[in-house]
C-alpha cells in the first residue's frame, strides 16, 4: 500500500486550502484583534437567562464555559467520556486507550516525559486564540521542532529505497531551479521588463537561493552536508542527485514542502508535559460542574428553555437550562433525539466524519539522536506516512516517538481494520526501512484511530462543496436556544484554533441575543 | 399547509413523549449507542442501523456471523468493518443485556429518506413475502429478519451489498445464501428503492416491539 498521487494532492490541498482561508481571515483583521491577547469580556449575565448547559467538554465547550462563567452565568457541562478534553488527548502510563471494540491500557513507563499527544501536538504563532488561553491559564509552552533538515524523506521506490536527509533534497531542488532560472536569464528568456541592472541583481538572488557556482551551475552544496569532517577539512559537498530521478519521487516533488503550510510555519509551540495541560488549565479554572460519564441522549427546546437528558450511573437525568451550547461531534446528532428545525438537522447531517491515525512507540533508546536528529518529522511513502521524533527530553534515557501519523481515508482504513497488535507490527516493519534496527528499540506502543475512538468517531469533519454552500452558514447561527460549537463549525476543522473561533462566534451572537 | 403544521406538532409531541420514556442504557450497551444512537434508534451519519426492532435470534446470528468473519471483512464493506471489533468483543452476558434493553426501548419511527414508487414496490415485494413476511415482520425458521421499522438507507445498502457480494459472499451459512440469491432478482437500484419505500409503509403496523 503506497500513497497515491491523488492522496498527496489531497493532503496538500487540505493543508494549503484551509490555510488560505485562514490567511484571508487574518488579513481581514482577526490577527490585529487577537494580537492583543485580550479575553472575550462578555457583558454580565442577566437574571432571566442565567442557566447554560454545555454538551461535550472539548476545547470549544471548555472555553465557552470559562467565558460564560466569568460573565456570571451558571453553567453545567455534560460529557460522555470518562475524561474532559475530547480530541485534546495525551496518553501516559496507565491511561485508558478508549477505542470502540478495542479498549486497552497504555503501558508507557511511569515517567512524566513519556507521553503521547494523540490529537493536537503543535501550535503555530498565529493561532492567537489558543495561545491566549495558554497564557491566561498559565500553561507553560516551549518550542516544538516540526521540520528538521536532518530528518528523512523516504521513498521506497526511488534512491534505492534509502532515506535521504530532507536538507539534501531541499538543496538539490533549489540548486536545479536556480540553475534553470540563471540559464533563462542569460539566454534572455526570462528578462521581460527587466533592466540589465535588475537582471544582475536577480542573478545574485538566484545564486544565493540555489548556492550556484559563479558559472551559474549547480554542482552540489555544503548546505546539504559534507562527505568529510567539516571541522578538520574543507567541506566537500556530495554530488547532486540526477534531476530526473529527483522529480520522479513524489516525496521530493511534494512532501518536502509539507512544512511550508502556514499552520506548520516554524517555530511552533507545544505545552510543556503534554497538550492536555490546556485541558487541565481549563478544568482548574472552572467552577461549574463538569459531569463525566454522562452521554447526552436527547435535546429538546421549548419556548424559554432547553431540556437535555443524559444517562448517568444507570439513571436517566433531565437537565433544564435557558440556553444550550452543543460541542458534540455533528455525526452523533442523527442518533440523538432532538427537535431542532428540519433544515438545521439536514445541515448537521451534511457534516461527514474525517479520519486520522497515530501510533506512539516507547523506544528504549533515543537512537535517532545518534543520527543527528533532535525533533522533527521524517516522511515516507509507506503506510505509516510520518515518523515524529520527540522534541522533549533530549538525551533522556527513553522516548516516545510517533511511529505513524496517517491521513486520507484509504490509508486510515488500512490500519483501522487491523487489530491494535497488527498495527504496531506493520508500523515497526515500516520503521525498519527508515531506521534499520528500529523494531528492536520498541518496548510498547499504542494506536489511535480517531474515527474509532469512543465518543469521537472522527476528526476533521468535512462537507461537500455543495453542502458547504447550502448549509454551513446555517450552522454558524443558533437554532433557537441551541448553538452548535466545535472545530466542526469553523473553516479550520482539525485545529483547536477553529474550535475556539466557533465558540467566540457563538458567544458573540449569544450576547447580542440575550442583551436585547 | 394546515396539515403540515398539524403533523409537525404531532412529531414534536411524539418526540417529547419519547424523551419521557427514555430507558437508561446499561453500561455494556453504552458503546453500542455511541454508533447505533439513542435507544438504538440508528444513526445515518455513522451508517449504523436501528437495532430496536430486531429479534434476539437475529442479532445473535449476526454477531456470530461477524465473529466468524462472514461479515465485515470484504474490502468494500466499510461499515461492516466498523462493526466487526465490537462484535468480536461482545460477551454472552453483554449480549443478554443488549436483548433486555431492546425488549423495552421504543424509539420513534425512523425518518424516511427514500421516496420511490410505493405501488410498484408493493408488487416487487411479493418475491420477498415468503421469507420476510407480508408485514415485513420476519420469519424466524427461515432466519429472515424483520424489515419493517428498519432505517431505509440501511436496507438499501444491504441489498446492494448482497447483490454485489460485499455481504454474504464469505458466509458458510446456507440461510445467508438464500438472501444472496434473492438479491440477484433485483435488477437495479430503482427496484430496490421502490421495494424499500413500500417496506417503510409497513412501519406503523409492526413498528416497535
Ligand atoms: C490526530 C490529530 C491531530 C491534531 N493536531 C492538532 C494540532 O497539532 N494543533 C491543534 O491545534 N489542533 C490539532 N488537532 C485538532 C484538535 O484536536 C481539535 O480541533 C479540537 O480538540 C476539537 O475541539 P472541539 O471543541 O471541536 O471538541 P471535540 O474534541 O470534538 O470534543 C467533543 C466532545 O463531545 C463529547 N461527546 C461526544 N458525544 C457526546 C454525547 N452524546 N454527550 C456528551 N458529550 C459527548 C466527546 O466525548 C468530546 O469530549 C488535531 C486533531 C487530531 C485528531
Amino acid at each position: 500500500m503506497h500513497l497515491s498521487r491523488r492522496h498527496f494532492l489531497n493532503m496538500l490541498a487540505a493543508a494549503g486550502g484551509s490555510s488560505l482561508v485562514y490567511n484571508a481571515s487574518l488579513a481581514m483583521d482577526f490577527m490585529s484583534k487577537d494580537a492583543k491577547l485580550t479575553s472575550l469580556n462578555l457583558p454580565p449575565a442577566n437574571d432571566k437567562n442565567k442557566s447554560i448547559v454545555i454538551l461535550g467538554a472539548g476545547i470549544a465547550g471548555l472555553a465557552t464555559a470559562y467565558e460564560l462563567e466569568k460573565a456570571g452565568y451558571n453553567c453545567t457541562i455534560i460529557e460522555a467520556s470518562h475524561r474532559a478534553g475530547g480530541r485534546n488527548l495525551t496518553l501516559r502510563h496507565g491511561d485508558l486507550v478508549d477505542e470502540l471494540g478495542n479498549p486497552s491500557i497504555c503501558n508507557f513507563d511511569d515517567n512524566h516525559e513519556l507521553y503521547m499527544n494523540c490529537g493536537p501536538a503543535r501550535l503555530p504563532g498565529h493561532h492567537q486564540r489558543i495561545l491566549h488561553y495558554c497564557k491566561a491559564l498559565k500553561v507553560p509552552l516551549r518550542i516544538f521542532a516540526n521540520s528538521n533538515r536532518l530528518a528523512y524523506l523516504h521513498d521506497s521506490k526511488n534512491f534505492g529505497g534509502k532515506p535521504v536527509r530532507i536538507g539534501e533534497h531541499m538543496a538539490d531542488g533549489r540548486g536545479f531551479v536556480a540553475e534553470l532560472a540563471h540559464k533563462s536569464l542569460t539566454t534572455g528568456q526570462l528578462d521581460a521588463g527587466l533592466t540589465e541592472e535588475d537582471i544582475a541583481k536577480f542573478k545574485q538572488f538566484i545564486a544565493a537561493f540555489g548556492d550556484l557556482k559563479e558559472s551559474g551551475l549547480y554542482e552540489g552544496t555544503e548546505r546539504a552536508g559534507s562527505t568529510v569532517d567539516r571541522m578538520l577539512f574543507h567541506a566537500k559537498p556530495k554530488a547532486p542527485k540526477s534531476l530526473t530521478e529527483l522529480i520522479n519521487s513524489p516525496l521530493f516533488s511534494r512532501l518536502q514542502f509539507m512544512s511550508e503550510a502556514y499552520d506548520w510555519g516554524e517555530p511552533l509551540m507545544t505545552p510543556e508535559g503534554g497538550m492536555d495541560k490546556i485541558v487541565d488549565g481549563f478544568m482548574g479554572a472552572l467552577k461549574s460542574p463538569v459531569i463525566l460519564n454522562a452521554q447526552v441522549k436527547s435535546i429538546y427546546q421549548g419556548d424559554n428553555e432547553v431540556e437535555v437528558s443524559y444517562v448517568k450511573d444507570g439513571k436517566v437525568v433531565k437537565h433544564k437550562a435557558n440556553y444550550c451550547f452543543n460541542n458534540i461531534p455533528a455525526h452523533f446528532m442523527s442518533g440523538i433525539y432532538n427537535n431542532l428545525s428540519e433544515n438545521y438537522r439536514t445541515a448537521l447531517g451534511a457534516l461527514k466524519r474525517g479520519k486520522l491515525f497515530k501510533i506512539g512507540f516507547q523506544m528504549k533508546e533515543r537512537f535517532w539522536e545518534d543520527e543527528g536528529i533532535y525533533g522533527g518529522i521524517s516522511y515516507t511513502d509507506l503506510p505509516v506516512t510520518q515518523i515524529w521524533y520527540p522534541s522533549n527530553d533530549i538525551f533522556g534515557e527513553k522516548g516516545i516517538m510517533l511511529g505513524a501519523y496517517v491521513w486520507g481515508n484509504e490509508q486510515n482504513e488500512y490500519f483501522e481494520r487491523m487489530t491494535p497488535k497488527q498495527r504496531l507490527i506493520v508500523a515497526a516493519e515500516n520503521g525498519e526501512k527508515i531506521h534499520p534496527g528500529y523494531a528492536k528499540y520498541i518496548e510498547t506502543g499504542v494506536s489511535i484511530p480517531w474515527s474509532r475512538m469512543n465518543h469521537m468517531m472522527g476528526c476533521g469533519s468535512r462537507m461537500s462543496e455543495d453542502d458547504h454552500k447550502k448549509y454551513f452558514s446555517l450552522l454558524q447561527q443558533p437554532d433557537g436556544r441551541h448553538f452548535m460549537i466545535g472545530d466542526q463549525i469553523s473553516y479550520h476543522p482539525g485545529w483547536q484554533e477553529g474550535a475556539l473561533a466557533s465558540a467566540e462566534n457563538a458567544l458573540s451572537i449569544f450576547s447580542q441575543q440575550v442583551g436585547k | 399547509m394546515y396539515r403540515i403544521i398539524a403533523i409537525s406538532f404531532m412529531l414534536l409531541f411524539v418526540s417529547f413523549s419519547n424523551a419521557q420514556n427514555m430507558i437508561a442504557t446499561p453500561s455494556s450497551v453504552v458503546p453500542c449507542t455511541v454508533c447505533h444512537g439513542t435507544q438504538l434508534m440508528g444513526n445515518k451519519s455513522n451508517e449504523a442501523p436501528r437495532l430496536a426492532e430486531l429479534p434476539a435470534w437475529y442479532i445473535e446470528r449476526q454477531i456470530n456471523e461477524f465473529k466468524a468473519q462472514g461479515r465485515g471483512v470484504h474490502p468494500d464493506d466499510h461499515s461492516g468493518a466498523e462493526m466487526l471489533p465490537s462484535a468480536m468483543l461482545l460477551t454472552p452476558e453483554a449480549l443478554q443485556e443488549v436483548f433486555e434493553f431492546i425488549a423495552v426501548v421504543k424509539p420513534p419511527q425512523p425518518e424516511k429518506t427514500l421516496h420511490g414508487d410505493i405501488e410498484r414496490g408493493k408488487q416487487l415485494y411479493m418475491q420477498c413475502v415468503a421469507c420476510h413476511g407480508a408485514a415485513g415482520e420476519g420469519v424466524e425458521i427461515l432466519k429472515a429478519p424483520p424489515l419493517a421499522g428498519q432505517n431505509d438507507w440501511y436496507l438499501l445498502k444491504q441489498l446492494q451489498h448482497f447483490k454485489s457480494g460485499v455481504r454474504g459472499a464469505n458466509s458458510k451459512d446456507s440461510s445467508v445464501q438464500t438472501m444472496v440469491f434473492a438479491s440477484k432478482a433485483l435488477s437495479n437500484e430503482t427496484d430496490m428503492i421502490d421495494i424499500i419505500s413500500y417496506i417503510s409503509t409497513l412501519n406503523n403496523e409492526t413498528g416497535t416491539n
Side-chain angles (χ1 to χ4, degrees), chain B residues 8 15 88-89 99 104 110 116 131 169:
Chain B
S8 48
S15 316
M88 300 305 267
L89 195 72
F99 297 154
V104 288
C131 295

Side-chain angles (χ1 to χ4, degrees), chain A residues 55-62 78-81 83-89 117-124 127 130 264 275 294-297 327-329 332 336 356-358 388 405 407 450 454-456 458-460 485-488 492-500 502:
Chain A
L55 316 181
I59 286 296
L62 292 170
I78 304 172
E79 166 58 54
S81 170
R83 51 171 279 279
R87 274 169 278 161
N88 181 320
L89 166 67
N117 285 328
C118 304
R122 45 194 170 181
L123 309 170
H127 283 191
I130 188 78
W264 292 319
M275 190 58 85
Q295 193 189 18
V296 169
K297 297 290 188 179
N327 193 198
I328 296 176
F332 288 133
I336 292 177
L356 287 174
F357 176 77
K358 279 185 178 179
W388 290 28
Y405 185 10
W407 300 338
W450 276 101
N454 202 357
H455 304 301
M456 283 308 318
C459 175
I485 53 173
D487 68 355
Q488 52 193 352
H492 229 57
W495 288 93
Q496 295 172 103
E497 187 74 358
L500 293 171
S502 80

